Amino acid sequence: MLALTLIASTDAFAAESGRRLALVIGNSTYEAAGSLPNASRDARAFGAFLSSQGFDAEIVVDANRSQLAEAVSSFSRRIAANDVALFYNAGHGMQLRGENYLVATNAKLANEFDVHAETLALADVVRAIETKAKIALIFLDACRNNPLANRLNEEIEGATRSLATRGLAPIETESAGTMVAFAAAPGQVASDGRGENPPSPRRSSTTWRAQALRLAQRSSASSAT
């Protein structure tokens, strides 16, 4: 029933000759931040689910900074005005001074001046997608506890103040057709868990599928008004 409802919802979005496009990123193997085995597993599972629902889904696994930038840039160039564009990122994310960043697998983050060179600013990613698409669905499974971000924030803000910058910050979007889902509440972190796709404490790929349905329905209502 869930799959059929999602198909019906996205079919309605694409009624005006629009397509359903998805970029699914899963970063598991980090050079300086350990391993997140479930990030790539979840990305592959969610990407396969989207493909079964009629999305043209590209799956990118273990991307360094240049590969992340190229994947997002290429995805943005493909989006047309009537398209539904879905972006999913599983892996390490961080916030610094209220701004969110997606961490590349080759990031070292030795100091704050490395952030822009070794991550992607999430606001830039969202803007690149929502300014092109009729409907933009953003899924951020990137709230895992990040040792690089924790160390960097402690150095900059101090050990006590750094607790206020855990996880990802709230996101402001520019389009009524943009919906965002987090793996954890803003400012909170979720562990990667153990085993294949553990349901707790972070969201499982099945939960993301249900969230995709809810966002699709809400976006459909927003675009119709």
Side-chain angles (χ1 to χ4, degrees):
M1 179 62 70
L2 172 62
L4 291 176
T5 307
L6 182 56
I7 291 172
S9 298
T10 53
D11 277 342
F13 297 155
E16 299 178 15
S17 73
R19 299 165 298 166
R20 288 170 282 181
L21 306 175
L23 174 60
V24 179
I25 296 174
N27 283 342
S28 284
T29 306
Y30 287 85
E31 294 179 11
S35 177
L36 298 174
N38 284 300
S40 57
R41 290 176 187 152
D42 286 353
R44 290 189 175 98
F46 194 57
F49 167 73
L50 293 174
S51 294
S52 74
Q53 306 308 305
F55 278 83
D56 180 359
E58 177 185 3
I59 301 173
V60 177
V61 173
D62 290 336
N64 61 30
R65 173 58 171 77
S66 63
Q67 291 167 336
L68 274 179
E70 176 55 31
V72 173
S73 176
S74 176
F75 182 60
S76 176
R77 291 195 299 269
R78 294 176 57 204
I79 301 171
N82 284 326
D83 291 344
V84 179
L86 187 152
F87 176 80
Y88 171 93
N89 186 94
H92 277 314
M94 61 175 285
Q95 65 164 302
L96 182 65
R97 296 193 172 97
E99 296 295 326
N100 294 318
Y101 301 90
L102 304 180
V103 181
T105 57
N106 60 337
K108 304 293 193 300
L109 299 181
N111 59 69
E112 65 179 298
F113 301 105
D114 290 334
V115 171
H116 288 287
E118 299 179 355
T119 70
L120 283 187
L122 181 57
D124 292 342
V125 175
V126 174
R127 190 178 304 112
I129 296 171
E130 72 174 352
T131 56
K132 301 284 291 293
K134 181 177 182 180
I135 300 294
L137 305 177
I138 311 297
F139 293 83
L140 300 171
D141 195 2
C143 305
R144 293 165 166 86
N145 193 33
N146 184 347
L148 293 179
N150 294 344
R151 175 183 52 75
L152 190 61
N153 274 316
E154 287 183 8
E155 290 177 357
I156 296 171
E157 304 285 359
T160 303
R161 178 79 179 275
S162 69
L163 294 178
T165 56
R166 289 162 59 86
L168 297 179
I171 297 174
E172 293 186 3
T173 61
E174 299 178 359
S175 170
T178 301
M179 298 291 174
V180 180
F182 290 92
Q188 300 299 313
V189 296
S191 69
D192 188 58
R194 296 183 178 181
E196 295 197 8
N197 313 113
S200 162
R202 61 184 184 79
R203 295 181 179 181
S204 67
S205 58
T206 301
T207 306
W208 283 114
R209 298 173 196 179
Q211 187 68 38
L213 169 62
R214 288 192 291 272
L215 286 182
Q217 291 171 331
R218 289 173 59 191
S219 297
S220 180
S222 297
S223 65
T225 57

